[in-house]
Protein backbone atom coordinates (compact mmCIF):
# COMPACT_ATOMS: atom_id res chain seq x y z
CA UNK A 1 0.00 0.00 0.00
CA UNK A 2 1.51 3.29 -1.12
CA UNK A 3 -0.61 6.45 -1.12
CA UNK A 4 0.11 9.83 -2.67
CA UNK A 5 -2.14 12.64 -1.44
CA UNK A 6 -2.32 15.63 -3.78
CA UNK A 7 -3.28 18.90 -2.14
CA UNK A 8 -2.97 22.63 -2.79
CA UNK A 9 -1.75 25.67 -0.85
CA UNK A 10 -1.73 25.25 2.92
CA UNK A 11 -2.98 28.80 3.46
CA UNK A 12 -6.06 28.48 1.27
CA UNK A 13 -7.10 24.90 0.61
CA UNK A 14 -9.65 23.86 3.21
CA UNK A 15 -10.78 20.81 1.24
CA UNK A 16 -7.16 19.61 1.03
CA UNK A 17 -6.79 19.88 4.80
CA UNK A 18 -9.54 17.37 5.54
CA UNK A 19 -7.92 14.13 4.28
CA UNK A 20 -4.42 15.41 5.01
CA UNK A 21 -5.07 15.98 8.71
CA UNK A 22 -7.09 12.77 8.95
CA UNK A 23 -4.24 10.69 7.54
CA UNK A 24 -1.68 12.46 9.71
CA UNK A 25 -3.74 12.07 12.87
CA UNK A 26 -4.35 8.36 12.21
CA UNK A 27 -0.71 7.76 11.19
CA UNK A 28 -1.68 6.53 7.73
CA UNK A 29 1.52 6.94 5.68
CA UNK A 30 1.43 8.83 2.40
CA UNK A 31 3.58 10.81 0.02
CA UNK A 32 2.71 14.48 0.29
CA UNK A 33 2.41 16.27 -3.07
CA UNK A 34 1.42 19.93 -3.36
CA UNK A 35 -0.02 21.41 -6.55
CA UNK A 36 -0.49 25.11 -5.73
CA UNK A 37 -3.30 27.28 -6.99
CA UNK A 38 -1.59 29.20 -9.79
CA UNK A 39 -4.66 31.26 -10.74
CA UNK A 40 -8.34 31.68 -9.97
CA UNK A 41 -9.13 28.76 -12.29
CA UNK A 42 -6.90 25.69 -12.15
CA UNK A 43 -9.22 23.19 -13.78
CA UNK A 44 -7.12 22.37 -16.84
CA UNK A 45 -3.91 21.88 -14.86
CA UNK A 46 -5.56 19.86 -12.11
CA UNK A 47 -7.30 17.60 -14.62
CA UNK A 48 -3.92 15.96 -15.16
CA UNK A 49 -4.30 14.21 -11.78
CA UNK A 50 -7.98 14.58 -10.81
CA UNK A 51 -11.10 13.86 -12.91
CA UNK A 52 -12.88 16.84 -11.36
CA UNK A 53 -9.99 19.24 -11.89
CA UNK A 54 -9.96 19.88 -8.14
CA UNK A 55 -7.99 18.95 -5.04
CA UNK A 56 -7.65 16.82 -3.05
CA UNK A 57 -6.95 13.58 -4.86
CA UNK A 58 -5.55 10.34 -3.46
CA UNK A 59 -3.48 8.10 -5.71
CA UNK A 60 -3.33 4.46 -4.66
CA UNK A 61 -1.29 2.55 -7.24
CA UNK A 62 -3.13 2.86 -10.53
CA UNK A 63 -6.31 4.08 -8.81
CA UNK A 64 -7.24 7.72 -8.25
CA UNK A 65 -9.76 8.59 -5.54
CA UNK A 66 -11.13 12.12 -5.61
CA UNK A 67 -13.08 14.47 -3.34
CA UNK A 68 -12.42 14.78 0.39
CA UNK A 69 -15.46 12.69 1.28
CA UNK A 70 -14.67 10.06 -1.34
CA UNK A 71 -11.14 9.79 0.03
CA UNK A 72 -12.45 9.49 3.60
CA UNK A 73 -14.84 6.68 2.67
CA UNK A 74 -12.07 4.91 0.76
CA UNK A 75 -9.72 5.11 3.73
CA UNK A 76 -12.44 3.93 6.11
CA UNK A 77 -12.68 0.67 4.16
CA UNK A 78 -8.96 0.08 4.63
CA UNK A 79 -7.95 1.59 7.97
CA UNK A 80 -9.40 1.50 11.49
CA UNK A 81 -10.25 4.67 13.33
CA UNK A 82 -11.64 6.81 10.52
CA UNK A 83 -15.10 6.61 12.11
CA UNK A 84 -15.86 6.28 15.83
CA UNK A 85 -16.20 2.71 17.10
CA UNK A 86 -19.36 3.49 19.08
CA UNK A 87 -22.45 3.13 16.90
CA UNK A 88 -24.21 6.27 18.14
CA UNK A 89 -21.05 8.35 17.82
CA UNK A 90 -20.42 6.93 14.36
CA UNK A 91 -23.93 7.84 13.18
CA UNK A 92 -23.53 11.36 14.55
CA UNK A 93 -20.09 11.76 12.96
CA UNK A 94 -21.26 10.55 9.57
CA UNK A 95 -24.25 12.92 9.55
CA UNK A 96 -22.07 15.84 10.65
CA UNK A 97 -19.48 15.08 7.96
CA UNK A 98 -22.21 14.97 5.32
CA UNK A 99 -23.62 18.27 6.61
CA UNK A 100 -20.21 19.93 6.42
CA UNK A 101 -19.61 18.52 2.96
CA UNK A 102 -22.86 19.89 1.54
CA UNK A 103 -23.70 22.83 3.78
CA UNK A 104 -22.40 25.98 5.46
CA UNK A 105 -22.16 27.76 2.11
CA UNK A 106 -22.26 31.26 3.58
CA UNK A 107 -19.48 30.45 6.02
CA UNK A 108 -17.38 29.13 3.12
CA UNK A 109 -18.02 32.19 0.96
CA UNK A 110 -17.85 34.92 3.59
CA UNK A 111 -15.00 33.45 5.66
CA UNK A 112 -12.65 31.82 3.19
CA UNK A 113 -9.70 30.00 4.70
CA UNK A 114 -6.41 31.77 5.13
CA UNK A 115 -4.36 30.26 7.93
CA UNK A 116 -1.76 32.98 8.17
CA UNK A 117 -3.83 36.12 8.69
CA UNK A 118 -6.20 37.60 11.23
CA UNK A 119 -9.15 39.55 9.91
CA UNK A 120 -11.52 42.09 11.40
CA UNK A 121 -14.62 41.03 9.46
CA UNK A 122 -17.37 43.17 8.04
CA UNK A 123 -20.76 43.03 9.72
CA UNK A 124 -22.07 39.46 9.63
CA UNK A 125 -25.02 38.73 7.42
CA UNK A 126 -28.03 36.90 8.91
CA UNK A 127 -27.09 33.86 6.83
CA UNK A 128 -23.57 33.81 8.27
CA UNK A 129 -24.93 34.14 11.78
CA UNK A 130 -27.18 31.13 11.13
CA UNK A 131 -24.19 29.08 9.99
CA UNK A 132 -22.20 30.06 13.08
CA UNK A 133 -25.15 29.25 15.35
CA UNK A 134 -25.51 25.84 13.71
CA UNK A 135 -21.79 25.15 14.17
CA UNK A 136 -22.06 25.96 17.86
CA UNK A 137 -25.14 23.78 18.25
CA UNK A 138 -23.58 20.83 16.42
CA UNK A 139 -20.23 20.99 18.20
CA UNK A 140 -21.84 21.36 21.64
CA UNK A 141 -24.11 18.40 20.90
CA UNK A 142 -21.17 16.18 20.02
CA UNK A 143 -19.09 17.29 22.98
CA UNK A 144 -22.00 16.84 25.42
CA UNK A 145 -23.12 13.45 24.10
CA UNK A 146 -19.73 11.81 23.68
CA UNK A 147 -17.63 13.50 26.34
CA UNK A 148 -14.92 15.15 24.21
CA UNK A 149 -12.28 16.32 23.82
CA UNK A 150 -13.02 15.57 20.15
CA UNK A 151 -16.42 15.97 18.53
CA UNK A 152 -17.38 12.30 18.70
CA UNK A 153 -15.47 11.19 21.77
CA UNK A 154 -11.98 10.85 23.13
CA UNK A 155 -10.14 10.22 19.83
CA UNK A 156 -9.71 12.12 16.58
CA UNK A 157 -11.95 10.84 13.77
CA UNK A 158 -13.27 12.02 10.42
CA UNK A 159 -15.71 14.49 11.96
CA UNK A 160 -12.81 16.43 13.46
CA UNK A 161 -10.97 16.35 10.13
CA UNK A 162 -13.96 17.78 8.28
CA UNK A 163 -14.38 20.64 10.73
CA UNK A 164 -10.64 21.28 11.06
CA UNK A 165 -10.69 24.04 8.41
CA UNK A 166 -13.43 25.76 10.40
CA UNK A 167 -11.17 25.80 13.46
CA UNK A 168 -8.73 27.90 11.44
CA UNK A 169 -11.59 30.11 10.23
CA UNK A 170 -12.82 30.70 13.79
CA UNK A 171 -9.38 32.01 14.71
CA UNK A 172 -8.80 33.99 11.51
CA UNK A 173 -12.09 35.89 11.77
CA UNK A 174 -12.55 35.85 15.55
CA UNK A 175 -15.87 34.03 15.22
CA UNK A 176 -17.83 33.56 18.45
CA UNK A 177 -18.80 29.90 18.76
CA UNK A 178 -19.30 29.95 22.51
CA UNK A 179 -16.97 28.80 25.29
CA UNK A 180 -17.55 25.06 25.00
CA UNK A 181 -17.01 24.93 21.24
CA UNK A 182 -14.02 27.26 21.57
CA UNK A 183 -12.35 24.66 23.80
CA UNK A 184 -12.62 22.19 20.91
CA UNK A 185 -11.20 24.82 18.51
CA UNK A 186 -8.24 25.41 20.81
CA UNK A 187 -7.72 21.67 21.23
CA UNK A 188 -7.70 21.21 17.47
CA UNK A 189 -5.31 24.09 16.85
CA UNK A 190 -2.89 22.51 19.32
CA UNK A 191 -3.00 19.11 17.60
CA UNK A 192 0.42 18.20 16.14
CA UNK A 193 -1.00 17.63 12.65
CA UNK A 194 -2.75 21.00 12.67
CA UNK A 195 0.41 22.65 13.94
CA UNK A 196 2.39 21.09 11.09
CA UNK A 197 -0.14 22.32 8.53
CA UNK A 198 -0.02 25.81 10.03
CA UNK A 199 3.78 25.91 10.04
CA UNK A 200 3.84 24.95 6.38
CA UNK A 201 1.17 27.56 5.63
CA UNK A 202 3.17 30.31 7.30
CA UNK A 203 6.28 29.30 5.38
CA UNK A 204 4.58 29.59 1.99
CA UNK A 205 5.76 32.56 -0.03
CA UNK A 206 3.42 32.28 -3.00
CA UNK A 207 0.22 34.29 -3.18
CA UNK A 208 -2.75 33.77 -5.46
CA UNK A 209 -4.56 36.96 -6.43
CA UNK A 210 -8.16 35.75 -6.29
CA UNK A 211 -7.75 34.10 -2.89
CA UNK A 212 -6.12 37.23 -1.51
CA UNK A 213 -8.99 39.29 -2.92
CA UNK A 214 -11.49 37.09 -1.09
CA UNK A 215 -9.78 37.85 2.20
CA UNK A 216 -9.80 41.55 1.41
CA UNK A 217 -13.51 41.40 0.65
CA UNK A 218 -14.22 39.63 3.95
CA UNK A 219 -12.79 42.37 6.12
CA UNK A 220 -9.66 44.23 7.17
CA UNK A 221 -6.47 42.24 7.65
CA UNK A 222 -5.09 43.24 11.04
CA UNK A 223 -2.24 40.72 11.31
CA UNK A 224 -0.31 38.69 8.74
CA UNK A 225 2.03 36.00 10.04
CA UNK A 226 3.03 34.59 6.65
CA UNK A 227 6.52 34.64 5.22
CA UNK A 228 7.19 37.69 3.09
Amino acid sequence: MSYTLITANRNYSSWSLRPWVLMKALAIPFEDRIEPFASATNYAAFRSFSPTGQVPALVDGDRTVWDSLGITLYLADRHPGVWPADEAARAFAQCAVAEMHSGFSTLRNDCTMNVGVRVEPHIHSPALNRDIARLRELWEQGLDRFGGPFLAGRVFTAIDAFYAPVAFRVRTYGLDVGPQAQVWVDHMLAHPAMQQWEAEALAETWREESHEAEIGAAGRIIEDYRAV
Side-chain angles (χ1 to χ4, degrees), residues 49-51 57-66:
F49 58 79
S50 172
L58 181 74
V59 179
D60 181 13
D62 60 359
R63 179 179 298 157
T64 296
V65 183
W66 63 94

Side-chain angles (χ1 to χ4, degrees), residues 100 107 222:
M100 182 72 254
L107 176 71
I222 54 177

Side-chain angles (χ1 to χ4, degrees), residues 10-12 107 110-122 124 164-177 182 185-186 189 194 197-198 201-202 211 214-216 218-226:
R10 300 294 191 242
N11 267 305
Y12 309 131
L107 176 71
D110 290 5
C111 300
T112 57
M113 191 169 91
N114 191 311
V115 175
V117 301
R118 306 294 180 267
V119 176
E120 184 180 87
H122 300 312
H124 292 178
V166 184
F168 281 130
R169 285 177 162 101
V170 167
R171 186 181 64 182
T172 294
Y173 297 93
L175 304 180
D176 181 5
V177 293
Q182 185 63 49
V185 170
D186 294 341
L189 293 175
M194 292 284 280
W197 181 279
E198 180 179 1
L202 298 184
H211 286 84
E214 288 173 346
I215 292 293
R220 183 174 68 90
I221 296 175
I222 54 177
E223 294 177 291
D224 191 336
Y225 297 100
R226 298 172 297 175

Side-chain angles (χ1 to χ4, degrees), residues 19-141:
W20 189 95
V21 75
L22 179 66
M23 295 177 79
K24 287 286 185 178
L26 298 185
I28 300 172
F30 64 94
E31 180 184 343
D32 197 353
R33 174 179 157 192
I34 299 178
E35 295 285 344
F37 297 126
S39 63
T41 302
N42 299 274
Y43 178 80
F46 286 6
R47 279 275 292 175
S48 65
F49 58 79
S50 172
T52 62
Q54 296 178 312
V55 289
L58 181 74
V59 179
D60 181 13
D62 60 359
R63 179 179 298 157
T64 296
V65 183
W66 63 94
D67 190 280
S68 60
L69 182 54
I71 294 168
T72 298
L73 296 174
Y74 186 80
L75 293 172
D77 285 340
R78 289 157 179 80
H79 302 275
V82 172
W83 299 114
D86 175 76
E87 184 177 357
R90 185 165 63 253
F92 173 79
Q94 289 172 343
C95 289
V97 163
E99 183 177 356
M100 182 72 254
H101 194 63
S102 63
F104 298 101
S105 58
T106 303
L107 176 71
R108 299 179 198 277
N109 293 332
D110 290 5
C111 300
T112 57
M113 191 169 91
N114 191 311
V115 175
V117 301
R118 306 294 180 267
V119 176
E120 184 180 87
H122 300 312
I123 296 174
H124 292 178
S125 69
L128 179 58
N129 285 332
R130 283 194 298 270
D131 276 358
I132 295 170
R134 175 55 186 154
L135 281 174
R136 177 175 180 171
E137 178 183 57
L138 181 69
W139 293 352
E140 289 178 351
Q141 182 183 6

Side-chain angles (χ1 to χ4, degrees), residues 1-21:
M1 185 180 299
S2 178
Y3 297 130
T4 297
L5 182 65
I6 306 173
T7 61
N9 307 55
R10 300 294 191 242
N11 267 305
Y12 309 131
S13 189
S14 59
W15 292 62
S16 293
L17 172 58
R18 296 171 177 177
W20 189 95
V21 75

Side-chain angles (χ1 to χ4, degrees), residues 189-209:
L189 293 175
H191 191 284
M194 292 284 280
Q195 297 240 310
Q196 181 183 344
W197 181 279
E198 180 179 1
E200 293 177 11
L202 298 184
E204 287 177 349
T205 56
W206 59 68
R207 303 287 181 266
E208 196 286 303
E209 185 176 345

